[in-house]
Amino acid sequence: MDLDHLNPAQRDAVQQLDGALLVLAGAGTGKTTVITHRIAALLRSGIPARHILAVTFTNKAASEMKARLITMLPEFNTKRMFVGTFHAFGCSVLRRFGDRLGYSKAFAIADTDDQNGVLKQVLTDMKLGEGELKFEFFKNGIRHANNNMQNAEGIRNSGRMSWFSTLADVYDAYQRRLKSMNLVDFDDLLGLPVKLWTMDQRILEEYRDRYRYLLIDEYQDTNRIQAEMIRLLSGTRKNICAVGDDDQCIYGWRGAEVNNILEFEKGYPGARIFKLEQNYRSTNNILAAANAVITNNSRRHTKTLWSEGTSGDQIKLFEVATETVEANVIADLVQDIRYEKDIPYNEIAILFRSNFQSRVFEQSLREHRIPYRIVGAKAFYERREIKDALAYLKVLHNKADNMSLLRILNVPSRGIGEKTVEKLKEIAETTDSALVDALENEEFLASTRSAVAKRVREFSEAFQRGVENFDESMSLSAKVRLYLDDIGYLAGLKTIYKIREEQAVRVENVEEFINSAALFEERFAETASLQNFLESYALMDDNDRVREADAEIENVTLMTVHAAKGLEYEIVIVAGLEEDLFPHELSVKEDNLEEERRLFYVALTRAKQQLVLSRARTRMRYNRKEIRCPSQFIAELPQELIDSTQLRNEIAPAKQEYVSSIFDTMRERYS
DNA sequence: GTCCGATGCTTTTTT
DNA sequence: AGCATCGGAC
């Protein structure tokens, strides 16, 4: 066996096959290597693949691990092993046993918009609607209850103040409404399996028997329910291998419980602990900076990263006048690196604390004609037309999804206004049917003007044809196109968006969406059903949602530090190192400075070769110029590692390449 | 019912 | 500055 490539600590962790073990793996210490080798070791020791459950934090990590195992172990059938995220695993449990909890097996997954929509409806119905603040309060309250495995009763019993009982009522109504629409939210994907296993010991035993060896990656970011899932599954065998780095716990605000990793031994007495500290990613200067920063945190397992490599370049620090200058200086630097150091764009990442920072960079990169891709928020899947197209599909798969129906019923305009919708809801309620079915109700149709009724009929009929079509064997993307066309959405795009240029963009985006269904089919051939397509979409994270087109060309990557977790680049540029931005002002207020520092630590340790930090002395906010102070984290870096030689001109002279490229564009445009 | 301009709010991080 | 929502005019 090829254990020769492993260092002693890695080898120990790989070879300890039974019992509980915690692998404390610092950034870049070959965590994934350990997990894959460990799985290989399990298989080679004769344990069948079906007994192995490997949980990763992202889908991307899961598919990379699968791919690695297949090349590493061609002789084993690794298909029967589970490799995926907690949410995907929970989903598979519910697809099998959801009916025991009163869910139909064809349930759909509520995305963030759906969750917000349902909660808003509930609050309006209960006349608690006014004010965003209240909305946030209830949203946090529900999430908090779920994280602590509390139901409505639990909330009610947890305090005397009247808001406990109000929150309990809202919680109850929210859950009931979701369920009535046959929807399951992200928390349910974890909470319901736990409920099921606690309720029915036989099902739990079946799962325990099936999954005898558990491996959990990024254990520092598990929450209480995820830890509970693992505790229940591990049973008395306790064959659990938790891998993680407490210094990289950056999802505390989402319920991640650092204590899961800090106090692992309490839950699994006698667990063996292995520390991986030899780093294979970064230069020693980068590691020294990271080590120095993280020692300012108090609650952690002490680790010191080291590498056999060179110390490398110093860390560059830019301190410039404004955020626009910051973006331009960085774009210049990116171009320099590309052409002078011959490092491809896709080995360069620009990281920031908050999404809004991406805008200036987009502009400067465009001006410099540097290709880039953005991971996250404002990206492709957030577009209105994509959400509309998706809503059309969501109702088709799940008729009970009234919210999606309401989203698209009048998009494009079919003359169905507020009053008509009220009537529709009323009829749906009295006949106890889904809104989509109520559309065919004669009483409802009679209540609308004949022109409207005609268009409603056309809609219902097209919908019905869609339902029937999806039973037939035709390619998924072809069915999607046929349905969106038949129901009038594709042609409707031209009436929804008046401006010619905008139209073209929107149509193109929807085409790309349809194409993504085709790509999904290519990847999952026989299992590419509408349900699986929607499910995989709902369970995607921002890194999965990067456009296919963007993944192929050589691009600079723009993303938040959160999104960069688990990734590495030759060159990493961290922008906006200013007090109140990084660390974020809210996190300081909420007393989460240590988590911000871990986030900074994550940012630093993404870099292999060169790290560049920058800050602006002023920054526009709400259209006002604000003076900004350097981030306290800058002062935590050892001075001798920093090269803060001021740039000769903050705006560097244009490169020859850049000038000629502008002439090229002009020639193209005017010839 | 639809369109369009005024208003006011935004910026934490996301499976 | 940009976006989302609301209210008034057609």
Side-chain angles (χ1 to χ4, degrees), chain A residues 346 373 515 519 546-555:
Chain A
N346 49 14
R373 59 179 197 135
N515 192 44
L519 290 166
V546 165
R547 291 216 225 185
E548 298 290 337
D550 283 351
E552 283 157 19
I553 48 171
E554 198 195 290
N555 271 315

Side-chain angles (χ1 to χ4, degrees), chain A residues 9 82 171 322 411 472 498 512 562 574 601 634 641:
Chain A
F82 182 92
Y171 182 88
T322 68
V411 176
E472 280 169 27
K498 307 275 182 248
E512 192 175 330
H562 281 92
V574 191
Y601 174 81
I634 293 180
L641 300 177

Side-chain angles (χ1 to χ4, degrees), chain A residues 197 200-209 232-233:
Chain A
W197 291 337
D200 191 332
Q201 188 72 21
R202 283 198 320 255
I203 297 177
L204 175 60
E205 287 304 333
E206 191 197 315
Y207 274 96
R208 281 179 176 168
D209 188 54
L232 285 172
L233 274 182

Side-chain angles (χ1 to χ4, degrees), chain A residues 27-89:
Chain A
T29 55
K31 190 173 53 123
T32 318
T33 311
V34 167
I35 298 178
T36 43
H37 275 81
R38 200 181 141 77
I39 293 174
L42 288 169
L43 292 171
R44 285 177 179 143
S45 81
I47 290 151
R50 61 190 302 274
H51 288 326
I52 298 172
L53 175 83
V55 184
T56 58
F57 196 69
T58 62
N59 297 303
K60 196 178 170 209
S63 48
E64 278 169 8
M65 192 179 294
K66 274 184 219 156
R68 235 159 123 168
L69 285 166
I70 289 169
T71 39
M72 215 168 134
L73 303 159
E75 71 273 30
F76 287 98
N77 180 8
T78 45
K79 277 225 174 94
R80 305 214 54 200
M81 190 163 70
F82 182 92
V83 184
T85 64
F86 271 106
H87 290 88
F89 178 62

Side-chain angles (χ1 to χ4, degrees), chain A residues 447-669:
Chain A
S447 73
T448 65
R449 281 179 291 129
S450 62
V452 175
K454 183 168 170 268
R455 302 191 65 181
V456 171
R457 280 210 176 86
E458 283 165 8
F459 178 92
S460 305
E461 281 159 16
F463 180 82
Q464 210 44 55
R465 281 194 295 275
V467 173
E468 284 154 23
N469 263 335
F470 267 81
D471 284 339
E472 280 169 27
S473 64
M474 193 199 290
S475 86
L476 179 68
S477 59
K479 284 186 284 199
V480 169
R481 176 187 300 284
L482 187 67
Y483 166 65
L484 290 178
D485 188 35
D486 191 27
I487 207 154
Y489 181 63
L490 292 184
L493 282 168
K494 298 209 167 69
T495 64
I496 305 169
Y497 305 103
K498 307 275 182 248
I499 306 158
R500 179 83 75 72
E501 291 81 12
E502 192 186 357
Q503 252 176 41
V505 175
R506 305 273 187 178
V507 170
E508 202 178 297
N509 286 339
V510 175
E511 285 297 337
E512 192 175 330
F513 173 71
I514 297 172
N515 192 44
S516 76
L519 290 166
F520 180 79
E521 268 176 296
E522 254 171 53
R523 208 165 303 162
F524 298 101
E526 69 280 5
T527 57
S529 64
L530 178 61
Q531 174 171 296
N532 288 341
F533 177 62
L534 293 174
E535 179 179 306
S536 90
Y537 170 79
L539 295 178
M540 274 189 201
D541 63 34
D542 282 339
N543 271 306
D544 300 322
R545 285 175 199 197
V546 165
R547 291 216 225 185
E548 298 290 337
D550 283 351
E552 283 157 19
I553 48 171
E554 198 195 290
N555 271 315
V556 173
T557 304
L558 294 178
M559 65 187 151
T560 62
V561 183
H562 281 92
K565 189 169 95 140
L567 307 177
E568 58 177 29
Y569 293 87
E570 290 295 334
I571 315 287
V572 169
I573 301 163
V574 191
L577 286 172
E578 294 143 37
E579 208 52 24
D580 290 348
L581 183 57
F582 199 175
H584 195 278
E585 55 182 334
L586 294 178
S587 70
V588 177
K589 250 182 233 157
E590 289 164 13
D591 207 21
N592 283 332
L593 191 65
E594 295 216 342
E595 181 155 313
E596 289 291 300
R597 191 177 283 112
R598 291 194 291 264
L599 193 57
F600 185 53
Y601 174 81
V602 168
L604 300 180
T605 52
R606 299 308 96 201
K608 292 154 96 169
Q609 216 184 97
Q610 171 80 70
L611 189 56
V612 182
L613 310 176
S614 84
R615 72 160 181 115
R617 287 189 292 268
T618 69
R619 186 175 291 271
M620 296 292 274
R621 191 158 71 145
Y622 308 140
N623 209 20
R624 291 217 325 265
K625 196 172 228 180
E626 282 182 6
I627 295 182
R628 316 240 95 202
C629 299
S631 165
Q632 55 184 301
F633 297 150
I634 293 180
E636 294 177 4
L637 297 162
Q639 281 310 298
E640 68 276 12
L641 300 177
I642 307 295
D643 166 17
S644 54
T645 3
Q646 280 294 324
L647 305 171
R648 230 166 304 140
N649 307 303
E650 283 192 340
I651 300 170
K655 294 275 158 336
Q656 185 52 44
E657 242 213 62
Y658 174 57
V659 176
S660 47
S661 74
I662 285 188
F663 283 121
D664 286 345
T665 351
M666 284 170 65
R667 219 174 296 135
E668 260 170 55
R669 195 170 303 163

